[in-house]
Amino acid sequence: MNNFEFKNPTKIIFGKHTIEKLEREIPKDAKVLMLYGGGSIKKNGIYNQVKTALSKHDLIEFGGIPANPEYAVLMDALKIIKEQNITYLLAVGGGSVIDGTKFLSSAALFEGDTPWDILTKNIRTEKGMPFGTVLTLPATGSEMNSGAVITREETKEKLAMGGPGLFPEFSILDPQVITSIPERQLANGITDAFTHVLEQYMTYPIGAQLQDRFAESIMQTLIEVAPKVLQDPTDYQAASNFMWSCTMALNGLIQKGVPTDWAVHAMGHELTALFGIDHARTLAVIAPSHYKYNFEAKKEKLAQYAERVWNITEGSTNDKAYAAIEKTEAFFNQLGIDTKLSDYTNAYQGTAEIISKRFTERGWTGLGEHQSLSPDKVEKIVKMAY
Ligand code: NZQ
Ligand code: ZN
């Protein structure tokens, strides 16, 4: 196992009827800006639960943060934060609203020229405006990590940011919120969380037995609950295991002491930026090609995953490793997720070249666990995913 340091300061409040506990988590004298998305919280009652819990707080709202949180919209919210002397942010939503809130937490205290620099110049946020979250969609793990991904339509970019100042102070996880989530978004959530585990696991063996088993158990749990969650989102036991798996998949724990990849996400983000494809679906498009292209480097872990997660015990290391890639793709397909770029757009010719050129321009010349995935290899992987 590699050396590591681990600190995750986010308080998790998990379970039924936990939104009512909001009141005690936010300082009484705070001036709160509640942030939310396109309005699902008004239809499913979460909005009312939050407003009731915070009826004694000084609170204003900002709605309309779109999926793949848009920079221009967030800049409108930033104006309100400054004009109204907001001191505390509350995200009520999925990864997009939470990530948008993290950007605002950072931008509110940022002293540089333009907050866009936080994303383009990789400025780590050491201290942000304090914020909490009410999670409405299990998927990204953003509710318990310090990263965010922001989209800018004007330049067709999607860039990441983060830093120790961007952990939520608390996150409320009531699994009952999933009852109103459309099937497409449930499938996205399962796929995203599953791929988060793969990114931190599908590298090479390093003797981190406990970390491997944490990762495998999260994947096993997701595979087990996926059909139940899709068939009946009111199944509380399935919903609670789904929600906690998504959080555990990306709260920092399973990546400690092990090499990590993250190239699938790097390529996937470009497909969202270029074509607006849902984040999780871009991962399902890239992952099978990525694992096939990097087969030699990853086959030991692929074979371990085959045995322990998919119960594939017959055949050579190569056979098992290859079967595991096929099983993974079939799993995404069973969730209703297509795994080829051409399933999502007709305008895919030239995409691989654009992505590879962007990576070169950004200096991303060596991605992956060996820092050896160069832009020409990225181009080949994206082409394999057409
Ligand atoms: O906007 P509203 O009306 O609320 O509808 C949302 C949205 O349309 C809807 N939804 C959310 N909760 C619901 C609900 N509908 C009914 N009932 C509910 N309870 O779902 C739609 C998608 O929401 P969104 O927040 O965009 O989804 P997700 O949580 O998948 O977040 C995706 C974003 O997170 C980023 C992605 O890149 C993408 O921008 N990621 C963030 C990460 C992080 N911070 O750690 C890691 C991830 O890899 C990912 O990159
Ligand atoms: Zn993701």
Side-chain angles (χ1 to χ4, degrees):
M1 209 182 324
N2 295 331
N3 292 3
F4 67 86
E5 293 181 13
F6 182 51
K7 179 178 180 186
N8 188 319
T10 301
K11 174 178 179 181
I12 294 294
I13 304 167
F14 187 96
K16 282 185 185 171
H17 311 302
T18 40
I19 296 176
E20 58 197 45
K21 298 193 172 166
L22 254 179
E23 191 197 353
R24 61 170 208 213
E25 297 304 320
I26 302 182
K28 296 271 174 296
D29 58 351
K31 180 133 194 217
V32 186
L33 181 64
M34 165 186 177
L35 297 128
Y36 58 93
S40 69
I41 62 165
K42 292 203 167 155
K43 290 189 208 128
N44 58 22
I46 296 173
Y47 176 85
N48 284 341
Q49 290 180 57
V50 171
K51 292 285 277 196
T52 307
L54 292 180
S55 58
K56 296 198 192 108
H57 278 80
D58 184 359
L59 175 124
I60 57 173
E61 347 175 329
F62 183 91
I65 296 176
N68 306 313
E70 164 58 35
Y71 181 70
V73 176
L74 296 171
M75 291 305 280
D76 291 341
L78 185 59
K79 231 168 115 191
I80 295 174
I81 291 171
K82 298 215 159 142
E83 281 169 9
Q84 302 282 336
N85 299 315
I86 295 295
T87 62
Y88 204 100
L89 306 174
L90 176 67
V92 184
S96 294
V97 172
I98 299 175
D99 282 11
T101 301
K102 287 178 177 173
F103 168 78
L104 292 169
S105 160
S106 175
L109 307 187
F110 183 64
E111 285 174 351
D113 292 342
T114 156
W116 188 241
D117 286 350
I118 302 169
L119 292 135
T120 51
K121 296 187 178 163
N122 286 324
I123 299 173
R124 262 163 69 91
T125 304
E126 300 293 338
K127 186 173 175 352
M129 182 175 282
F131 69 99
T133 89
V134 175
L135 181 67
T136 66
L137 173 53
T140 63
S142 189
E143 66 279 6
M144 200 180 174
N145 69 39
S146 60
V149 193
I150 303 300
T151 296
R152 191 171 190 176
E153 178 55 34
E154 193 188 338
T155 51
K156 293 236 174 284
E157 280 174 291
K158 182 164 174 158
L159 298 173
M161 58 181 285
L166 290 183
F167 283 99
E169 287 199 330
F170 67 87
S171 282
I172 296 192
L173 275 57
D174 182 343
Q176 294 175 121
V177 299
I178 82 154
T179 51
S180 61
I181 300 175
E183 195 172 321
R184 162 179 155 195
Q185 297 296 349
L186 289 170
N188 283 352
I190 296 160
T191 303
D192 192 23
F194 197 86
T195 313
H196 292 160
V197 182
L198 288 176
E199 297 268 40
Q200 301 163 89
Y201 172 92
M202 205 55 78
T203 56
Y204 53 89
I206 192 165
Q209 289 162 259
L210 183 60
Q211 298 306 76
D212 279 1
R213 288 197 164 93
F214 278 147
E216 289 151 3
S217 65
I218 295 170
M219 292 190 282
Q220 285 169 322
T221 308
L222 286 168
I223 291 166
E224 213 170 286
V225 300
K228 296 181 190 165
V229 163
L230 290 179
Q231 206 196 357
D232 179 13
T234 67
D235 176 341
Y236 183 78
Q237 192 174 320
S240 52
N241 282 295
F242 167 44
M243 191 174 241
W244 188 226
S245 294
C246 293
T247 302
M248 287 299 291
L250 195 48
N251 66 1
L253 176 67
I254 67 169
Q255 74 183 24
K256 295 300 164 190
V258 299
T260 58
D261 183 344
W262 292 112
V264 175
H265 271 68
M267 290 180 260
H269 285 161
E270 298 305 317
L271 298 181
T272 301
L274 292 168
F275 303 111
I277 303 169
D278 291 351
H279 168 64
R281 288 162 199 261
T282 67
L283 308 177
V285 165
I286 296 291
S289 305
H290 182 61
Y291 297 136
K292 280 179 199 158
Y293 186 82
N294 294 291
F295 191 82
E296 280 306 313
K298 291 179 183 288
K299 68 182 183 188
E300 300 297 329
K301 279 310 270 290
L302 277 164
Q304 178 179 316
Y305 161 71
E307 280 184 22
R308 296 194 190 171
V309 176
W310 293 110
N311 304 315
I312 300 165
T313 49
E314 304 283 305
S316 63
T317 298
N318 279 16
D319 294 340
K320 284 187 265 193
Y322 194 80
I325 300 174
E326 297 207 310
K327 277 276 189 191
T328 309
E329 192 166 358
F331 175 56
F332 296 149
N333 292 152
Q334 275 158 21
L335 300 173
I337 304 252
D338 291 323
T339 42
K340 286 285 169 207
L341 185 56
S342 50
D343 295 323
Y344 297 92
T345 172
N346 293 324
Y348 56 84
Q349 293 299 347
T351 303
E353 289 82 352
I354 293 171
I355 295 177
S356 140
K357 185 161 168 273
R358 282 183 165 191
F359 284 13
T360 306
E361 283 164 3
R362 285 184 208 144
W364 294 7
T365 50
L367 299 180
E369 65 271 25
H370 296 291
Q371 290 85 51
S372 61
L373 198 83
S374 48
D376 59 309
K377 294 177 183 165
V378 164
E379 190 173 319
K380 291 194 180 105
I381 293 167
V382 177
K383 275 196 180 142
M384 283 165 69
Y386 283 178

